[in-house]
Amino acid sequence: MATRNIRIDGDSILRKVCKPVKEMNFRTSVLIDDMFDTMHAANGVGLAAPQVGILKRIVVIDVGDGTPLTLINPEITEEEGEQLGSEGCLSLPGLSGNVKRPMRVVCKALDREMREITVEGEGLLARAICHELDHLDGILYKDRAEDGLYETE
Ligand code: ZN
């Protein structure tokens, strides 16, 4: 396991649409381990594969509730309510912005054994799922920030 370099806003790879994962193999399994290491080392709550330069539909999320999530080929199937809150991104260090997200989402995905899973998220988890899934389509939270970004450090 190892950390990888996080791509920073301005890198064109962050604007690309990622490809679905067809099968689990050693390379992808190592990638997922490295994504967790990279996210935890940077004190993030989520990381998407394009942020480490890999254009695959994989995200990892750990909001600190004891259930780290690996979501492969994820899709939001239900969303409900609304929350406006501060958001940041490891690819835009030192910045935050206010983004409107659903209060609750249901997400279908595959886990790292390529089994179908359904994850329900509220509050911070709903926000993290939406943020990370956006990365897979080349969308950054700054595109959705209501009043632009502000410095947090
Ligand atoms: Zn991000």
Side-chain angles (χ1 to χ4, degrees):
M1 305 222 289
T3 59
R4 300 196 186 192
N5 287 332
I6 297 177
R7 303 298 180 103
I8 300 301
D9 184 25
D11 189 321
S12 62
I13 208 154
L14 293 173
R15 293 308 195 169
K16 303 241 161 84
V17 175
C18 297
K19 293 203 166 68
V21 177
K22 288 181 186 147
E23 53 161 19
M24 185 53 54
N25 53 35
F26 180 72
R27 207 180 157 87
T28 303
S29 184
V30 170
L31 167 67
I32 292 168
D33 287 340
D34 288 354
M35 285 173 66
F36 273 108
D37 281 356
T38 304
M39 172 180 70
H40 287 138
N43 292 315
V45 298
L47 189 74
Q51 292 182 275
V52 292
I54 306 292
L55 291 173
K56 287 184 177 168
R57 302 189 81 82
I58 303 173
V59 310
V60 297
I61 293 174
D62 187 352
V63 294
D65 62 356
T67 315
L69 293 171
T70 302
L71 303 175
I72 298 171
N73 304 342
E75 276 175 43
I76 290 172
T77 55
E78 270 178 59
E79 51 180 74
E80 196 184 316
E82 200 174 89
Q83 55 172 324
L84 179 64
S86 178
E87 209 163 295
C89 178
L90 295 175
S91 293
L92 290 86
L95 297 169
S96 293
N98 288 315
V99 182
K100 206 175 274 177
R101 299 287 191 186
M103 184 53 83
R104 176 184 164 272
V105 297
V106 177
C107 175
K108 284 198 171 154
L110 302 173
D111 68 10
R112 62 186 299 169
E113 279 80 43
M114 300 298 273
R115 295 175 301 211
E116 285 184 27
I117 53 167
T118 302
V119 176
E120 194 180 323
E122 276 190 54
L124 177 61
L125 181 55
R127 179 174 294 284
I129 290 171
C130 293
H131 178 114
E132 299 312 328
L133 266 62
D134 270 354
H135 274 297
L136 304 181
D137 292 317
I139 300 165
L140 297 175
Y141 82 96
K142 70 173 187 178
D143 307 341
R144 302 186 187 277
E146 305 249 316
D147 317 299
L149 303 186
Y150 49 90
E151 290 187 18
T152 47
E153 284 162 17

